[in-house]
Amino acid sequence: MTVSLLGAMCWGSALAQASVPTTKTRVIYFGLQNQADFELKVKPVFDSTANCKSCEILNYTPYTAEGAVDEPAMHERIASLPADTSFVFFDYNSRSNEQNKSLLEALNKRADSGMIVVGTAGAPRENEASGPLTRTVLGQVHNAVIIGELGDRDRLMPAAFYGPEMLTALRPPKDKMGQGQAPLIFAANLAENWNKRSPQQWTDHFKTKKSKNRKIWMDLNDLF
């Protein structure tokens, strides 16, 4: 009887452990970095900033057979995100046009289903002028969490897209200044704290922080 009881207890304990959901935080990355640069420049910054073993960043950027970024295929990858995606991080932004209309539509479809899209305010490409975020892809994504980067004297980088659609702009460490890594550092901090709130609660949290904070630019301590 005692042996049977102990066996039942052990079996029940094993079942209970098996039914506990995993708490892995998986960030899906899209960017203009090639595959090698993602491993050398993006992933190490994320891993060293997100102080949790359960945090992971996965490069989901589509590439051509030659290894170049396949921007026209971005919307297809958005439509086929892994089921265990926590949130999406876009490491670039661009002016909205007919060529990326399908990407914007795919992002908004995901955003309307409850997924958070985090992204950089970004900057125009060569031979393009700066402009408001409302004319960019991420600036038109519903409830997108857009992060800018500060340079010297806590001013926005001179060529960056701008506007109230940004949640805030962050000053990166001195050794990373000017490299566009402030949004990535934000994404790593969000990943580390992700399980404290639901996606909707995070959206509401950031909106509340922005409406109540009187600073020109909130820092990470204000947000997390």
Side-chain angles (χ1 to χ4, degrees), residues 5 10-11 60 66 76 80 83 88 96 98 113 152 167:
L5 181 59
C10 292
W11 175 247
Y60 218 56
E66 294 75 26
E76 298 174 359
S80 61
V88 170
S96 57
E98 283 300 316
S113 70
D152 292 335
L167 171 64

Side-chain angles (χ1 to χ4, degrees), residues 134-167:
T134 51
R135 297 179 183 175
T136 68
V137 172
L138 293 183
Q140 298 178 49
V141 173
H142 305 158
N143 294 316
V145 180
I146 300 176
I147 306 297
E149 178 162 308
L150 299 176
D152 292 335
R153 300 180 183 179
D154 286 347
R155 294 179 179 176
L156 286 175
M157 303 302 288
F161 292 122
Y162 56 85
E165 292 76 20
M166 264 192 289
L167 171 64

Side-chain angles (χ1 to χ4, degrees), residues 25-31 46 56-61 74 77-82 84-92 103 106-108 110-111 113-120 138 141 143-147 183-184 186-188 190-191 194 199:
T25 301
R26 172 168 285 179
V27 181
I28 300 300
Y29 175 93
F30 291 92
F46 180 90
E56 175 186 56
I57 188 166
L58 176 66
N59 187 10
Y60 218 56
T61 306
M74 289 283 191
R77 302 308 301 270
I78 291 293
S80 61
L81 292 174
D84 59 351
T85 299
S86 300
F87 64 91
V88 170
F89 174 61
F90 260 76
D91 202 14
Y92 79 100
L103 172 61
L107 285 170
N108 272 329
R110 286 289 184 173
S113 70
M115 179 167 287
I116 291 181
V117 177
V118 178
T120 175
L138 293 183
V141 173
N143 294 316
V145 180
I146 300 176
I147 306 297
L184 174 60
F186 172 89
L190 178 57
W194 180 254

Side-chain angles (χ1 to χ4, degrees), residues 94-102 128 135 137 140:
S94 57
R95 290 181 179 276
S96 57
N97 51 45
E98 283 300 316
Q99 285 69 43
N100 53 38
K101 183 179 179 180
S102 56
E128 287 185 349
R135 297 179 183 175
V137 172
Q140 298 178 49

